Amino acid sequence: MMGFNQAMALQLYQQLGGGVAVYEHRNDIGDVIPDSTPQLREAMKNWDDALKRAAAEMEFMEKGGVKALTWNDVDYPQRLKNCPDAPVVLFYRGTADLNQQRIIDIVGTRHCTTYGQDMVRRLLSELRQQFPQLLIVSGLAYGIDICAHRHALQQGYETVGVLAHGLDQIYPYAHRSTAVEMVKHGGLLTEYVSQTEALPNNFRQRNRIVAGISDATILVESAIKGGGLITCRIAQEYGRDVFAFPGAVGMPYSEGCNKMIRNNTAALITSAADLIEAMGWQTDSNKTEAVERQLFPDLTEEEQKVVDVLSNTNDLQLNMMSVKTNIPIGQLTALLFSLEMKGVVRPLAGGTYHLMN
């Protein structure tokens, strides 16, 4: 439908509580949202083309095993949901949980060198030794992206590719076999309906999803300009951690990484150990034992609910705790501050909280 953009669509969805409510108020949207534009009010009255397109898309989804994840769905990436420009709906074909405890994205140049490939391979190999459950995200593009996906699969990791087009095609086509494997051990994710071509602006748009669904963005080789740098900038705007591997001075595909490190817009890492330390992650094999209730007799009922969730799965991000406890983020923040003052929890990097023993 013409007359409104992504931000307006999200505003309508949030203010009215869902897509059905938006449709029900199509003829009186000006009463519900007084500051809506005349173009929007007029566009909202004509749904014929949109409904026909939706019916065709639903048929495609049913045949292709595609799932729609709307903003209110529990399966919608909760990290992304906290971003101001989150898509109202995502289309997903795959098996991976998009709300896993730890998610990182790996991005970089499309013209990666052997050094960049080695850094990706070594990083994922080292991470696999300590974190069997870790979701790897990238954009299925040439270079670092496809290297990250393929090495993730080789290490037994699930990996998700965020696409700049509809799920009725794979771009580039040369990565089709990897994409097929990813659907079985990860997935393909996009905000675009079928028959949407891979236009240049779509790639910039999809970068916000790559950054938004992840705890941290890792840059491996980049020229002084490039899509990986855009993803890093967006991740910073979202308050996510950004890391970069340094490269040799003067090498064209190290200039972007080295500049970010020099300007303190990315933290330098040389190994998985650096990433783990910076993120404050505890290894799965050395997790602290669950805290017993009797150790904290002065907890309120709501505080105990938070402790119980962290006892089952420690080191959770704020928005994931909100999902698991069903406590609004504003109230949860206050509870976590109280628990921190009592010495029960400790905040870590990336908006994650650790239950003390």
Side-chain angles (χ1 to χ4, degrees):
M1 293 175 64
M2 301 297 291
F4 62 97
N5 54 25
Q6 178 73 19
M8 178 57 72
L10 182 58
Q11 181 186 357
L12 288 171
Y13 193 92
Q14 291 175 328
Q15 288 191 217
L16 297 178
V20 173
V22 173
Y23 179 74
E24 290 175 344
H25 287 283
R26 63 191 182 279
N27 293 319
D28 62 351
I29 199 67
D31 297 332
V32 180
I33 305 179
D35 61 346
S36 58
T37 64
Q39 293 89 342
L40 173 63
R41 297 172 200 166
E42 187 61 31
M44 288 290 291
K45 296 178 181 179
N46 185 5
W47 282 67
D48 292 345
D49 291 342
L51 290 175
K52 289 178 182 178
R53 184 67 183 88
E57 193 65 20
M58 290 178 68
E59 182 178 355
F60 164 74
M61 290 166 56
E62 185 175 353
K63 291 180 179 179
V66 176
K67 183 178 182 181
L69 305 176
T70 60
W71 198 80
N72 283 334
D73 289 342
V74 67
D75 291 336
Y76 187 96
Q78 298 302 305
R79 295 168 175 84
L80 181 62
K81 188 173 180 179
N82 287 329
C83 302
D85 52 356
V88 174
V89 60
L90 292 166
F91 301 98
Y92 182 49
R93 179 187 286 138
T95 57
D97 178 5
L98 300 178
N99 289 302
Q100 293 188 31
Q101 182 180 357
R102 298 183 179 94
I103 304 177
I104 62 172
D105 66 82
I106 301 175
V107 297
T109 179
R110 298 189 179 200
H111 306 282
C112 65
T113 67
T114 300
Y115 167 76
Q117 296 175 37
D118 287 344
M119 290 301 99
V120 173
R121 176 188 53 77
R122 194 177 76 177
L123 173 69
L124 293 178
S125 176
E126 292 173 353
L127 283 171
R128 187 73 168 91
Q129 296 174 25
Q130 300 189 60
F131 298 99
Q133 300 299 321
L134 179 67
L135 183 61
I136 309 301
V137 177
S138 198
L140 202 69
Y142 288 110
I144 293 298
D145 284 21
I146 194 63
C147 182
H149 291 309
R150 287 172 176 166
H151 283 302
L153 291 171
Q154 290 173 9
Q155 291 296 328
Y157 275 139
E158 291 181 315
T159 181
V160 169
V162 183
L163 309 181
H165 49 77
L167 287 172
D168 56 328
Q169 58 182 299
I170 294 297
Y171 179 86
Y173 188 81
H175 298 166
R176 183 174 182 81
S177 60
T178 302
V180 170
E181 192 67 20
M182 289 167 63
V183 171
K184 301 175 186 176
H185 306 286
L188 302 175
L189 185 70
T190 184
E191 65 180 308
Y192 298 108
V193 296
S194 60
Q195 301 179 39
T196 301
E197 297 298 324
L199 302 175
N201 188 60
N202 293 359
F203 288 94
R204 291 187 287 271
Q205 285 290 102
R206 71 94 187 270
N207 288 346
R208 80 188 197 286
I209 300 176
V210 173
I213 66 177
S214 307
D215 299 312
T217 292
I218 301 169
L219 184 66
V220 183
E221 286 199 309
S222 173
I224 202 67
K225 295 182 179 180
L229 296 177
I230 295 175
T231 305
C232 290
R233 176 182 56 78
I234 295 172
Q236 291 169 336
E237 293 173 353
Y238 290 162
R240 309 297 165 82
D241 291 285
V242 177
F243 302 94
F245 279 92
V249 174
M251 295 300 292
Y253 296 113
S254 294
E255 289 183 359
C257 293
N258 291 345
K259 182 179 179 179
M260 290 197 70
I261 294 169
R262 183 173 66 250
N263 294 342
N264 293 319
T265 51
L268 184 152
I269 58 171
T270 60
S271 66
D274 293 342
L275 176 65
I276 293 169
E277 180 180 1
M279 293 298 292
W281 288 349
Q282 302 294 317
T283 60
D284 289 348
S285 60
N286 294 318
K287 284 183 178 178
T288 57
E289 295 181 357
V291 178
E292 300 293 337
R293 182 178 177 85
Q294 58 265 29
L295 295 178
F296 306 106
D298 59 340
L299 296 186
T300 67
E301 183 177 346
E302 293 297 312
E303 288 173 340
Q304 185 60 47
K305 185 183 294 187
V306 175
V307 168
D308 290 341
V309 167
L310 287 174
S311 296
N312 293 326
T313 307
N314 207 354
D315 299 351
L316 278 177
Q317 197 178 51
L318 180 64
N319 45 21
M320 286 303 299
M321 269 191 285
S322 179
V323 173
K324 291 180 177 293
T325 60
N326 199 29
I327 298 174
I329 286 182
Q331 181 183 352
L332 182 58
T333 300
L335 289 170
L336 287 166
F337 178 76
S338 175
L339 289 169
E340 184 182 352
M341 293 300 98
K342 295 177 179 180
V344 180
V345 302
R346 176 168 63 92
L348 302 175
T352 300
Y353 285 82
H354 175 73
L355 185 64
M356 307 294 287
N357 58 3

